[in-house]
Amino acid sequence: MEIDDKEKTEAAKEQAGDRDSVIIRTSILGIVANVFLSAFKAAVGILSNSIAVVLDAVNNLSDALSSVITIVGTKLASRFPDKKHPLGYGRIEYMSALLVAAIILYAGATSAVESVKKIIEPEKADYSAVSLVIIASSVLVKLLLGFYVRHQGKKTKSGALTSSGSDALFDAVLSLSVLLSAVIYLLTGLSLEAYVGVLISVFIIKAGIEMMKDTLDEVIGKRADSELTKKIKKLITAEEGVRGAYDLILNNYGTDRNYASVHVELPDSMTVDQVDVLTRKLEMKVYKETGVILTSVGVYSYNTKDDESSAIREKVLGIVKAHDWAIQLHGFYVDLQSKIIRFDVVMSFEIKFSEGLKILCDEIKTEFPAYKVIIAPDVDISD
């Protein structure tokens, strides 16, 4: 077991190191590209007296700053656990993503103010062929950069990198709108650039709000990925004697840093040493197959020694399944001598726990008046 733990730690370190290197290299590429684009666009915007182009340059500069924050956040998040933070620093990535979102929101708000000023006090723009070529080139560069950064973000499961890639693709569309407004002005004399600036600002603010919302979902805690939870439960129930896996809770401490707890349903004939061997086997199996660390494996027992208990279970199951809001029954056990029926029931968010428990208790007590009914409510947290 000591060898396995050492190999597990080394593999985790190597995987984390590779991921960080990809994120940092990609972010550096984004910084270089956005700084050059910002400089060229700023020069074009100032020389041509175009507020839309200047705002586009500011947006590129904010993208470069976002990449810097992504690098800093990645480096801080990769720090090893210590006494103060025994589960590591992985969640710093979420904080860096929030900072990126805040920068995008600020850039959008500033752009909106400047664009409105230009609508109220318009100034004549003066585009040259060189400026149009530079804007057109920036569209192409942003498209290539956006697709590449977003691909790397999905590959490394980096929220900040994925958002930066999507933002770059969006910037390409915005730069294209600036180019079209310039062409319309040259052909017709109709100046739309200030209005295009407002449009750009609205979309930048929208992107910042969506990015902040997605990151806050991670910080607050959201429903675990259904594919991952189904895979974990399948791995657990594949073991002999395990009738079910329930109450699976995943706690995330950064990308690919998941700790979990679960209850398994085992026959009441198993001894403590057999349960100990089984749970250790499950912990290693789940980690090797998914990378998730099982920190706790609880146990539900099910009756195997008499037919009466099975008959009671079937009747109780029928009562529970008659209600749409009762999603699942598990951990069922009957103590025939003490006359106790106990089980857990997963209820949807459509009903209050107290109300659901009263309904089920009343119905089961009517069917089995001699028994004490103990029901533990569970939240519908995983598929």
Side-chain angles (χ1 to χ4, degrees):
M1 181 62 75
E2 290 181 0
I3 295 175
D4 287 337
D5 286 341
K6 184 178 180 181
E7 290 177 351
K8 183 168 67 175
T9 303
E10 292 300 322
K13 288 180 180 178
E14 184 178 350
Q15 186 178 11
D18 292 341
R19 175 180 179 271
D20 292 349
S21 297
V22 171
I23 293 174
I24 291 171
R25 285 199 305 269
T26 305
S27 297
I28 290 174
L29 176 63
I31 292 170
V32 173
N34 280 303
V35 167
F36 273 107
L37 286 175
S38 180
F40 279 117
K41 286 182 182 178
V44 170
I46 293 171
L47 292 175
S48 63
N49 197 29
S50 170
I51 181 62
V53 177
V54 171
L55 293 180
D56 208 12
V58 172
N59 190 34
N60 285 140
L61 197 59
S62 70
D63 291 343
L65 181 57
S66 298
S67 295
V68 172
I69 292 174
T70 299
I71 291 175
V72 174
T74 300
K75 295 296 288 183
L76 291 174
S78 64
R79 294 171 62 186
F80 289 111
D82 52 31
K83 187 175 182 179
K84 189 174 182 180
H85 298 283
L87 295 176
Y89 292 79
R91 286 180 175 173
I92 287 180
E93 279 198 39
Y94 300 143
M95 306 312 296
S96 64
L98 281 176
L99 278 175
V100 171
I103 290 171
I104 292 173
L105 278 173
Y106 177 77
T110 304
S111 299
V113 171
E114 294 302 319
S115 297
V116 171
K117 285 181 180 178
K118 289 295 181 181
I119 291 175
I120 297 172
E121 299 178 2
E123 295 180 9
K124 185 179 179 181
D126 183 22
Y127 295 103
S128 65
V130 174
S131 66
L132 294 180
V133 170
I134 290 175
I135 297 172
S137 300
S138 73
V139 174
L140 180 61
V141 171
K142 272 293 188 178
L143 280 174
L144 295 174
L145 182 66
F147 281 119
Y148 176 74
V149 173
R150 190 170 68 171
H151 170 74
Q152 294 295 79
K154 290 181 178 179
K155 179 181 175 183
T156 57
K157 297 181 182 178
S158 169
L161 211 57
T162 302
S163 296
S164 295
S166 298
D167 189 42
L169 290 174
F170 191 66
D171 289 345
V173 176
L174 297 180
S175 295
L176 182 62
S177 68
V178 173
L179 179 62
L180 291 175
S181 67
V183 172
I184 291 172
Y185 175 75
L186 291 174
L187 294 176
T188 66
L190 181 62
S191 180
L192 298 174
E193 63 158 34
Y195 297 95
V196 171
V198 171
L199 184 64
I200 290 173
S201 304
V202 170
F203 282 111
I204 292 174
I205 291 171
K206 180 175 179 292
I209 291 173
E210 289 177 350
M211 183 178 175
M212 187 167 286
K213 180 179 177 296
D214 290 341
T215 308
L216 284 173
D217 284 342
E218 294 287 354
V219 174
I220 295 170
K222 62 180 183 178
R223 183 179 292 274
D225 178 66
S226 60
E227 290 187 12
L228 178 59
T229 57
K230 287 175 182 177
K231 184 176 182 179
I232 292 173
K233 289 179 180 179
K234 186 177 180 181
L235 289 169
I236 292 173
T237 53
E239 290 298 318
E240 185 179 356
V242 180
R243 188 162 74 174
Y246 309 102
D247 306 330
L248 177 61
I249 298 177
L250 267 69
N251 295 302
N252 177 263
Y253 287 87
T255 305
D256 289 333
R257 301 184 189 187
N258 292 309
Y259 297 82
S261 61
V262 69
H263 277 92
V264 294
E265 200 166 23
L266 304 176
D268 57 4
S269 58
M270 287 188 73
T271 60
V272 175
D273 61 320
Q274 289 174 323
V275 173
D276 180 55
V277 171
L278 175 64
T279 54
R280 291 175 185 273
K281 183 179 180 180
L282 291 175
E283 289 169 1
M284 186 57 66
K285 181 180 181 181
V286 169
Y287 179 81
K288 286 184 176 180
E289 293 292 330
T290 67
V292 175
I293 299 173
L294 282 178
T295 57
S296 174
V297 181
V299 175
Y300 292 128
S301 62
Y302 62 86
N303 301 90
T304 60
K305 300 171 183 177
D306 58 84
D307 295 331
E308 185 180 352
S309 299
S310 298
I312 293 174
R313 184 183 189 280
E314 289 304 312
K315 287 184 179 181
V316 171
L317 183 60
I319 293 172
V320 173
K321 281 190 172 182
H323 301 283
D324 293 335
W325 43 262
I327 299 173
Q328 183 189 82
L329 178 152
H330 59 259
F332 185 90
Y333 194 83
V334 179
D335 189 331
L336 296 175
Q337 289 186 343
S338 301
K339 297 294 182 182
I340 295 175
I341 297 173
R342 66 174 186 265
F343 62 90
D344 289 18
V345 62
V346 178
M347 290 188 280
S348 71
F349 295 100
E350 297 173 2
I351 190 171
K352 293 181 179 179
F353 282 1
S354 57
E355 183 182 347
L357 290 176
K358 185 178 186 309
I359 292 171
L360 293 178
C361 282
D362 290 346
E363 292 180 357
I364 295 171
K365 284 287 288 182
T366 300
E367 185 71 28
F368 302 98
Y371 282 82
K372 179 181 179 181
V373 180
I374 301 174
I375 306 175
D378 281 343
V379 180
D380 177 24
I381 56 175
S382 65
D383 296 320

